[in-house]
Amino acid sequence: DGTASDANVFYKVNSPSELSSTLVNLKRIVNYIGWGLVAVLGVVSVVVISNTIRLTVFARRKEINIMKFVGATNAFIRLPFFVEGMTVGAISGVAYYGLEQALLQPEALWLNEFTKCMWPFMDIIWPLLGGFVLFGVAIGGVGCASSIRKHLKV
């Protein structure tokens, strides 16, 4: 009947607030670990690409000297190395995408339980591939820039 005494009635609610806070903290820790792994793998990728460019500079040192003697600009000498570093990064992005495709095949039944609650892969396939390739190109560019700055004296 909506009297004033009904407004002061409280119902007891049992909720596992301790369990939910534990799960939220666990999720936060897993996120930090995931981002830490991405950072470590990014640094490793930069180092690998940097070493690859360093070896390429060393292998082409005679050609680089000839280019300097005939008057090539610094940008003209550096451009092929940037293209190579970015191409290596883009190829690694496509390779990662291919690995993910292989894991999502019907033969990988053990992943079905994990992927049931995710968005359908076909809905995010192109943005995901683009993100992998762009991230690979960025990592390749950073690795190339750091290597060229150290090892290519032009």
Side-chain angles (χ1 to χ4, degrees):
D1 62 308
T3 62
S5 64
D6 286 340
N8 294 329
V9 175
F10 295 100
Y11 296 98
K12 184 176 181 176
V13 177
N14 290 326
S15 68
S17 60
E18 188 174 311
L19 175 65
S20 65
S21 66
T22 302
L23 290 176
V24 167
N25 288 334
L26 182 64
K27 177 191 169 284
R28 186 178 300 126
I29 290 169
V30 169
N31 279 341
Y32 289 148
I33 290 171
W35 282 112
L37 285 174
V38 167
V40 167
L41 291 175
V43 169
V44 167
S45 297
V46 167
V47 168
V48 167
I49 291 171
S50 176
N51 285 334
T52 303
I53 297 299
R54 182 176 58 101
L55 290 173
T56 304
V57 167
F58 182 74
R60 296 181 188 166
R61 66 186 180 278
K62 289 181 183 178
E63 292 91 351
I64 293 169
N65 283 333
I66 292 170
M67 291 169 68
K68 286 183 196 179
F69 287 140
V70 297
T73 63
N74 292 344
F76 186 79
I77 294 172
R78 289 179 178 149
L79 183 65
F81 297 107
F82 274 107
V83 170
E84 182 178 349
M86 292 157 102
T87 303
V88 168
I91 289 171
S92 67
V94 171
Y96 185 75
Y97 172 77
L99 174 68
E100 187 174 21
Q101 282 285 351
L103 289 176
L104 292 175
Q105 294 302 315
E107 298 86 37
L109 295 175
W110 60 275
L111 276 177
N112 286 343
E113 289 299 317
F114 297 112
T115 59
K116 276 185 196 176
C117 60
M118 295 180 171
W119 285 359
F121 188 69
M122 296 310 289
D123 291 350
I124 60 170
I125 191 169
W126 297 113
L128 192 64
L129 176 60
F132 286 158
V133 170
L134 287 176
F135 188 69
V137 166
I139 292 292
V142 169
C144 181
S146 67
S147 178
I148 284 179
R149 188 177 316 132
K150 283 189 232 176
H151 302 292
L152 186 61
K153 307 289 191 262
V154 291

